Amino acid sequence: APVNLAKSYRELGRYDESNLAFDWVLEKSPKNEFALLGKSVNLLNSGRSADAVSLLNELVEMQPNSGDAYSLLSSIQKTKTHDPLFLQMEKAVNGFEKISKESLMHFRHAMFKSYERSGNFADAFQNLNLANELQIESRVSDGRSLYNIDQDRSLFRAIEELEESNPLAEGLSCTTLNSIPIFILGLPRSGTSLVERIIGNHTRVQMLGELRYLGNAIEQAGILKPDLKSTAFAEVRALYLSKARQHNLE
């Protein structure tokens, strides 16, 4: 129950409350991988990357076959193939016989990113393929659903119908905001991260990475429901900004 409570708080962007629930779990089980990983994600989402790295380093010492921990740590540190962390990942993959398919999938994806950052695209592609195969095997064995494009088509149709009946910009203004959000949209591997870094180099722009606040706000405000409230878009804006301000926006 505490783990589910922590996850629920995290989904809502209430990271401090989520960490309290994770701390309760860690008091009972100090080596609980899920709690340590969940708390690391909360710290990262709260702008405390150094604390997240410290906790993840503790986790990989206790759980050297934790693909989740290595993957997140590698992502934060932008690991390349000559870095010690990459060598640790190689050693873990080659030295542990009892790594779950899901954990191995995270290892392979982290190695793919490291090869990609290092310009070795052949090995990057090989590890990406292995990660995808492992993800499919893991989902099938656990009875989880695979990606279904029809669900996305239904979502896109709902968004189109919403725009036709309720123009998104109608009645909203940014003139009263101290911080105006910039949303970067695009398909995977299309250069959105690069665009974020370019824009983020401006002294008056703060990068926040990939957040889930907007999706949560849209769901909470009931934007895609038939009985759409006239105040729904303003509610989405308020919900999103209240969470984004946790990142010490100036």
Side-chain angles (χ1 to χ4, degrees), residues 147-161:
Y147 173 70
N148 185 345
I149 194 172
D150 289 333
Q151 292 178 344
D152 275 349
R153 286 178 177 145
S154 297
L155 174 62
F156 295 151
R157 280 196 296 269
I159 293 172
E160 288 172 356
E161 292 170 3

Side-chain angles (χ1 to χ4, degrees), residues 94-146:
N94 296 325
F96 285 95
E97 296 180 0
K98 295 183 179 180
I99 298 181
S100 68
K101 288 181 180 179
E102 186 156 351
S103 189
L104 187 57
M105 179 267 293
H106 288 295
F107 271 114
R108 288 298 183 187
H109 189 268
M111 292 171 71
F112 144 65
K113 294 294 293 182
S114 297
Y115 277 121
E116 184 184 48
R117 294 187 194 103
S118 304
N120 185 342
F121 299 113
D123 285 334
F125 187 69
Q126 181 182 16
N127 277 272
L128 180 60
N129 270 340
L130 289 170
N132 287 339
E133 290 171 4
L134 287 163
Q135 184 179 49
I136 291 172
E137 290 178 20
S138 176
R139 283 184 169 275
V140 170
S141 63
D142 292 345
R144 290 178 290 170
S145 60
L146 299 177

Side-chain angles (χ1 to χ4, degrees), residues 4-155:
N4 290 332
L5 179 63
K7 288 169 63 178
S8 297
Y9 277 134
R10 184 174 64 195
E11 291 292 321
L12 294 171
R14 295 161 63 175
Y15 301 121
D16 290 339
E17 291 162 286
S18 178
N19 280 342
L20 287 175
F22 280 132
D23 284 338
W24 188 92
V25 175
L26 292 170
E27 284 181 12
K28 308 293 181 183
S29 178
K31 295 185 179 181
N32 186 293
E33 180 181 354
F34 188 89
L36 288 167
L37 188 66
K39 188 171 181 180
S40 299
V41 172
N42 287 342
L43 291 169
L44 182 61
N45 287 340
S46 302
R48 298 167 58 187
S49 57
D51 291 334
V53 167
S54 178
L55 192 58
L56 286 167
N57 279 324
E58 291 180 27
L59 177 54
V60 297
E61 278 192 35
M62 291 187 290
Q63 307 277 357
N65 60 343
S66 173
D68 283 292
Y70 274 105
S71 181
L72 184 56
L73 191 56
S74 173
S75 175
I76 297 170
Q77 297 183 334
K78 308 298 181 188
T79 303
K80 295 185 178 181
T81 53
H82 61 267
D83 293 326
L85 185 64
F86 179 82
L87 300 179
Q88 287 178 247
M89 289 192 290
E90 273 195 322
K91 183 179 178 180
V93 168
N94 296 325
F96 285 95
E97 296 180 0
K98 295 183 179 180
I99 298 181
S100 68
K101 288 181 180 179
E102 186 156 351
S103 189
L104 187 57
M105 179 267 293
H106 288 295
F107 271 114
R108 288 298 183 187
H109 189 268
M111 292 171 71
F112 144 65
K113 294 294 293 182
S114 297
Y115 277 121
E116 184 184 48
R117 294 187 194 103
S118 304
N120 185 342
F121 299 113
D123 285 334
F125 187 69
Q126 181 182 16
N127 277 272
L128 180 60
N129 270 340
L130 289 170
N132 287 339
E133 290 171 4
L134 287 163
Q135 184 179 49
I136 291 172
E137 290 178 20
S138 176
R139 283 184 169 275
V140 170
S141 63
D142 292 345
R144 290 178 290 170
S145 60
L146 299 177
Y147 173 70
N148 185 345
I149 194 172
D150 289 333
Q151 292 178 344
D152 275 349
R153 286 178 177 145
S154 297
L155 174 62

